Amino acid sequence: MPWDNWRLLALISLAGFLGLIMGQMMTFMFIAALGYAIWLQSKWYQLWRWLQHPKKVACPSAEGVVDDVCRHIEKMRQQNSNRKKKVTSYLKRFQSATAALPDAIVIIGKHGQVDWANFSAMQLLGIRWPRDSGVRVINLIRDPHLLKLMESPGGEGKVITLISPLSPSRQLEIKLVSYMGNGRLLIARDITQTVKLQQMRRDFVANVSHELRTPLTVLKGYLESFEPGTPAEQWQQAMPVMQQQTQRMHLMIKDLLVLSSLETGEKPLMHTPTNVAQLLKVIVDDASHLEHYRQQLISLELQSEKWLMADADELRSAISNLVFNAVKYTPDNCPITVSWHSDNFGAKICVIDQGEGIEAKHLDRLTERFYRVDKGRASSAGGTGLGLAIVKHVLQRHEAELTIDSAPGEGAKFCCHFPLKKLVDKIDV
């Protein structure tokens, strides 16, 4: 600003001096002031045009107030540009973070319309953004519970459960929270697995209670019927039954402890090169000495000389369960095949029997704790209902997988598939 004053003063003084020489001092001073005003006005006009079209028109260059205004405007514009870049960066990071969330996030406007939704909203709720932008949520998801939640004044913070509109087998937990004034945030979470685990826990408690109640009832009944003077003959008749029921509880608790240690990982894996062929020979020999062995024809097919990197004790436990189950549930004199095979994709141990077979509806649940296809037959065979659950967890610890193929009247085939990296060449001892 001082520069403008000095410039105007110098111009007027020079014009006055020239006017004094020419005898027209006032005229020269007026013309100088008018010219300066016109020049200054042109600079302000150029500044206005620059503000209107900053990319097309150059910034006016003039020492003084115009130049100061240009510098301040340019500084503010640069600050706004930097601020805009930061906001854009934060917005992109927010959208990337919410898009990566497994929960569905839907931003709802004050009229209940969709303002924004992440990718999970499409997978869980079928809400696709920006296609559904501006559409009311209750028009996209027609559920009376959601409608009640959306229209209730104090709906924020409440949680409801509903079936996913895309999959009847998927259960969702819906929560509505306040968001930026009149807006709301709808959060949907897939709780299908949680509900299933809760149901499995309830079933597990009920099954354990049921399995323990039977032997305890037998023991309690005998103990209540006996008195100090009870004849020895009655004791002799009761003792085998009591021992059988006690052994049943012992085996059940033992299997539960084994299963617990496998699930929690308390027992470290001892990976050592294991001679699978020798292991299977020992298991087949043990099977022929079982109480339930009824002259079944157990054959061993060794189609590979490869060894397996595994915990030998756990592997023996898993394969023994499969072979011993085949012996228990295969009719007299029927064939049972135990095989060991490897190729360029991995290896597998299979146990094939010619028993009654299993219906397809049971196959997916066979590895659940205490799940039995025929509860009466399983109890008479002395099983605890935990054998296949132990097999599944042992194989998972070895990065392996159990597959089951069966049909009524066609027997059953249980295969343990091991990845290629678990195979090692035969070791000469």
Side-chain angles (χ1 to χ4, degrees):
M1 189 68 180
W3 175 254
D4 289 278
N5 296 334
W6 283 110
R7 182 166 51 193
L8 178 60
L9 181 60
L11 182 62
I12 297 296
S13 300
L14 180 60
F17 177 73
L18 292 175
L20 183 62
I21 295 174
M22 301 298 293
Q24 299 289 333
M25 184 177 68
M26 295 303 295
T27 303
F28 273 75
M29 292 177 65
F30 174 75
I31 294 174
L34 180 61
Y36 182 78
I38 294 173
W39 174 82
L40 192 59
Q41 181 63 28
S42 68
K43 293 297 180 181
W44 285 115
Y45 177 71
Q46 189 178 353
L47 175 62
W48 178 81
R49 289 188 61 205
W50 176 65
L51 291 175
Q52 296 297 315
H53 307 284
K55 294 182 179 180
K56 295 182 178 180
V57 180
C59 176
S61 177
E63 292 293 338
V65 64
V66 175
D67 211 29
D68 292 342
V69 171
C70 288
R71 281 198 299 269
H72 281 85
I73 292 176
E74 188 62 35
K75 183 179 179 181
M76 291 176 62
R77 179 172 289 171
Q78 189 63 38
Q79 290 176 346
N80 288 335
S81 177
N82 294 337
R83 192 178 295 112
K84 183 178 179 181
K85 288 180 180 178
K86 284 186 179 180
V87 172
T88 304
S89 175
Y90 290 149
L91 181 60
K92 287 182 178 179
R93 289 171 62 182
F94 169 76
Q95 291 180 342
S96 298
T98 52
L101 287 174
D103 298 344
I105 307 292
V106 182
I107 298 177
I108 303 174
K110 64 178 182 179
H111 299 298
Q113 79 279 6
V114 176
D115 284 347
W116 183 83
N118 67 349
F119 182 73
S120 296
M122 181 187 68
Q123 296 179 316
L124 298 181
L125 302 172
I127 297 177
R128 188 189 298 269
W129 188 85
R131 185 196 66 182
D132 297 326
S133 179
V135 182
R136 299 186 70 190
V137 173
I138 57 176
N139 292 336
L140 296 171
I141 307 173
R142 299 186 178 277
D143 186 277
H145 297 93
L146 181 61
L147 177 62
K148 183 178 179 181
L149 178 68
M150 294 285 293
E151 294 183 347
S152 61
E156 289 79 6
K158 292 184 179 179
V159 179
I160 63 170
T161 57
L162 53 84
I163 303 300
S164 171
L166 300 181
S167 174
S169 62
R170 178 178 286 177
Q171 287 187 281
L172 304 178
E173 180 184 82
I174 305 293
K175 186 175 183 180
L176 205 61
V177 297
S178 298
Y179 178 76
M180 294 182 65
N182 294 329
R184 288 178 291 179
L185 204 64
L186 187 146
I187 305 172
R189 176 174 298 173
D190 187 351
I191 59 171
T192 307
Q193 191 63 23
T194 303
V195 172
K196 183 182 292 186
L197 291 174
Q198 290 175 347
Q199 184 61 43
M200 288 177 63
R201 184 184 63 183
R202 289 192 290 267
D203 292 343
F204 173 71
V205 173
N207 286 327
V208 169
S209 302
H210 174 75
E211 294 292 338
L212 290 177
R213 184 168 62 244
T214 301
L216 286 174
T217 301
V218 174
L219 293 175
K220 185 173 180 291
Y222 277 119
L223 292 174
E224 288 178 348
S225 64
F226 290 153
E227 297 178 355
T230 301
E233 291 80 6
Q234 292 188 21
W235 279 101
Q236 291 176 355
Q237 293 176 358
M239 283 301 292
V241 179
M242 295 174 69
Q243 288 177 346
Q244 180 186 13
Q245 297 301 327
T246 304
Q247 179 66 11
R248 180 180 173 185
M249 286 192 293
H250 170 73
L251 292 175
M252 187 183 306
I253 294 173
K254 180 181 176 183
D255 283 351
L256 281 172
L257 292 174
V258 170
L259 191 57
S260 176
S261 67
L262 290 173
E263 289 179 334
T264 58
E266 294 178 358
K267 179 180 177 292
L269 274 174
M270 303 297 293
H271 279 102
T272 56
T274 302
N275 187 344
V276 178
Q278 183 62 33
L279 180 68
L280 294 180
K281 289 177 182 178
V282 173
I283 293 174
V284 168
D285 183 64
D286 291 342
S288 63
H289 295 86
L290 288 175
E291 176 186 353
H292 301 282
Y293 179 68
R294 297 181 300 278
Q295 303 302 316
Q296 291 98 338
L297 307 176
I298 306 177
S299 61
L300 184 60
E301 297 180 0
L302 303 175
Q303 302 171 8
S304 174
E305 295 185 352
K306 292 285 187 179
W307 287 25
L308 201 62
M309 287 297 296
D311 187 309
D313 292 336
E314 289 193 8
L315 186 62
R316 182 185 297 110
S317 172
I319 306 305
S320 296
N321 266 302
L322 297 178
V323 176
F324 294 172
N325 278 347
V327 171
K328 290 177 185 178
Y329 303 122
T330 300
D332 301 359
N333 301 312
C334 285
I336 298 174
T337 304
V338 181
S339 65
W340 166 238
H341 170 78
S342 66
D343 53 28
N344 294 330
F345 302 99
K348 61 181 179 180
I349 299 173
C350 293
V351 179
I352 307 171
D353 64 54
Q354 299 296 325
E356 298 179 5
I358 306 167
E359 293 183 48
K361 65 180 181 180
H362 298 294
L363 296 181
D364 291 338
R365 301 191 61 190
L366 283 179
T367 55
E368 293 181 12
R369 302 181 186 123
F370 298 112
Y371 186 82
R372 293 191 175 103
V373 176
D374 186 341
K375 295 185 177 180
R377 187 182 68 166
S379 298
S380 64
T384 62
L386 298 170
L388 290 179
I390 292 175
V391 172
K392 182 184 75 171
H393 282 87
V394 167
L395 294 180
Q396 286 178 347
R397 280 163 60 89
H398 287 78
E399 301 178 52
E401 180 185 7
L402 176 67
T403 60
I404 306 172
D405 295 315
S406 183
E410 298 181 6
K413 179 180 181 180
F414 295 80
C415 287
C416 308
H417 299 267
F418 297 89
L420 185 61
K421 64 182 181 180
K422 293 289 183 180
L423 294 178
V424 294
D425 292 329
K426 178 180 177 182
I427 299 177
D428 296 326
V429 180

